[in-house]
Amino acid sequence: GVCSISLVAMTSGFNTATRITTDEMFNSMTALTHNEVKDLIHKVDSKNADKIYNEMLANYDGYKFNAECVTVFNPTLTMYYLNMFLN
């Protein structure tokens, strides 16, 4: 049989990869949508939610993997920023 795991160089065993980075369906797969960020902000600080969200829009929004997609937030930077309000 043939094993799909390959320990050889990328030029010989990497031909099974599929490029999904520009597919709209996967735009928010590794990022946070606006609604997800709003929900997180309300859980962290509901009194200042609008102010925090507007600051985050200016600094952490802007990632997109396809020109037709909406922008999304970087999850790592979002969590670092929101963590400041928890301490």
Side-chain angles (χ1 to χ4, degrees):
V2 177
C3 180
S4 61
I5 299 173
S6 177
L7 299 176
V8 294
M10 290 178 67
T11 56
S12 61
F14 197 66
N15 60 354
T16 58
T18 303
R19 184 174 173 217
I20 63 170
T21 56
T22 57
D23 190 328
E24 280 185 63
M25 188 170 73
F26 298 105
N27 186 57
S28 62
M29 183 172 81
T30 59
L32 296 170
T33 64
H34 288 255
N35 288 335
E36 291 170 330
V37 169
K38 286 178 183 179
D39 289 342
L40 286 169
I41 292 170
H42 279 282
K43 290 177 182 177
V44 170
D45 186 351
S46 60
K47 290 181 184 178
N48 298 306
D50 290 335
K51 179 184 175 190
I52 294 170
Y53 179 71
N54 288 329
E55 287 176 4
M56 292 186 73
L57 276 175
N59 294 294
Y60 300 110
D61 179 46
Y63 295 91
K64 65 168 67 178
F65 298 98
N66 182 310
E68 305 300 319
C69 296
V70 296
T71 54
V72 290
F73 290 84
N74 178 307
T76 302
L77 296 177
T78 298
M79 296 304 173
Y80 282 137
Y81 186 75
L82 292 178
N83 189 51
M84 290 188 323
F85 295 97
L86 294 174
N87 298 323

